[in-house]
Amino acid sequence: MDDIESAWALVEAALRRVLPDSLPLLAGPAEASEIDAIEAELGVTLPPDFRASLRIHNGSNYGNPAPVPLEYLFDTGEIVEMTRAWHSEADPDIDNPPVMACLIDAGMIHVSGPVRPTSSLRNRVVVGTMNGDVNWFIDLDPPEGGTPGQVVRLDLECCQWDVLAPSWTALLVRYAEDLERFADDPESSTLEIDEDSGPMSEWGVDPVDKPPRPAWLRDVEARRPSTWNW
């Protein structure tokens, strides 16, 4: 709890320097029973630091300027609702390592970090969105090299998966550090911030146009999807 409190304190201090008007949009604490309901409804066990985070800020409210590089973070009820709404079953053709390797090699999907580029939300919990196109999720069962509880940015339109941080606490610390860099020298920060709308959702995107396969797929023999005609 101390670590997550310190991480939020860093974010809030940095927002006071960069986007003070965004601070009132951070929601108040969730009740422990509301957090328990997420686990019960979705059949998951949340990382302890994310549970502790919800006890500080139960998401954020929609408005401008946003305090995070999304439209808003979901509260406990929205986490359940949106994870259920977005859930899809694994595609036996697309969602397997040989085909994933093929799609990465062809530049059709972009994967940065140890995350499975799959549309299934099995063992994943959605925690925030930008217009439904860009979403953050907590990955509870990553592939080899990943960390359970890591935070992933998924851009559905661009077919892009980027691991933002190995934990929710690490995500907040990274964000706070980039806010501070922006305050001192905007050119040195990976953030782009509009004073009216807030941080742009591109934060955390790997700038490489066609990154190599992640390590867990490196030695996999690629196979084309069966639906391809070439």
Side-chain angles (χ1 to χ4, degrees):
M1 185 67 176
D2 290 343
D3 287 345
I4 200 70
E5 287 179 341
S6 297
W8 269 118
L10 290 172
V11 170
E12 291 166 18
L15 287 172
R16 288 188 191 96
R17 297 187 64 193
V18 180
L19 289 170
D21 291 344
S22 72
L23 284 165
L25 292 175
L26 291 172
E31 297 293 334
S33 59
E34 296 177 296
I35 304 170
D36 291 341
I38 296 175
E39 297 185 327
E41 294 283 347
L42 297 179
V44 300
T45 300
L46 296 173
D49 67 337
F50 186 67
R51 284 188 60 98
S53 179
L54 290 170
R55 293 287 285 158
I56 299 169
H57 292 299
N58 187 16
S60 63
N61 298 311
Y62 179 81
N64 292 316
V68 293
L70 293 170
E71 277 186 310
Y72 64 105
L73 296 174
F74 297 145
D75 63 23
T76 51
E78 290 168 323
I79 288 172
V80 172
E81 177 185 356
M82 298 310 295
T83 298
R84 282 178 165 171
W86 191 33
H87 178 73
S88 62
E89 295 300 327
D91 184 319
D93 183 41
I94 300 297
D95 294 337
N96 68 77
V99 174
M100 292 175 184
C102 175
L103 296 176
I104 293 171
D105 292 346
M108 298 184 68
I109 61 176
H110 178 296
V111 182
S112 176
V115 58
R116 294 182 182 88
T118 169
S119 58
S120 173
L121 282 188
R122 181 185 175 92
N123 293 318
R124 295 173 172 180
V125 177
V126 187
V127 297
T129 191
M130 172 59 76
N131 198 35
D133 298 322
V134 174
N135 301 274
W136 286 2
F137 65 79
I138 294 176
D139 190 353
L140 302 173
D141 183 27
E144 181 181 356
T147 304
Q150 67 185 14
V151 186
V152 178
R153 178 189 183 276
L154 169 57
D155 185 328
L156 292 166
E157 287 193 346
C158 296
C159 297
Q160 183 164 347
W161 289 256
D162 291 272
V163 177
L164 298 179
S167 68
W168 189 254
T169 302
L171 176 87
L172 294 179
V173 171
R174 177 185 179 184
Y175 181 47
E177 289 174 346
D178 273 351
L179 284 168
E180 292 287 356
R181 289 191 189 98
F182 186 90
D184 294 332
D185 177 13
E187 295 299 321
S188 70
S189 175
T190 59
L191 279 165
E192 294 183 38
I193 297 179
D194 182 275
E195 62 181 17
D196 294 323
S197 59
M200 302 296 102
S201 68
E202 286 76 15
W203 181 69
V205 174
D206 190 326
V208 178
D209 288 336
K210 189 178 177 183
R213 296 183 195 175
W216 71 282
L217 284 174
R218 192 165 295 153
D219 298 324
V220 172
E221 183 177 353
R223 178 179 70 78
R224 294 182 302 172
S226 61
T227 54
W228 286 13
N229 295 320
W230 53 273

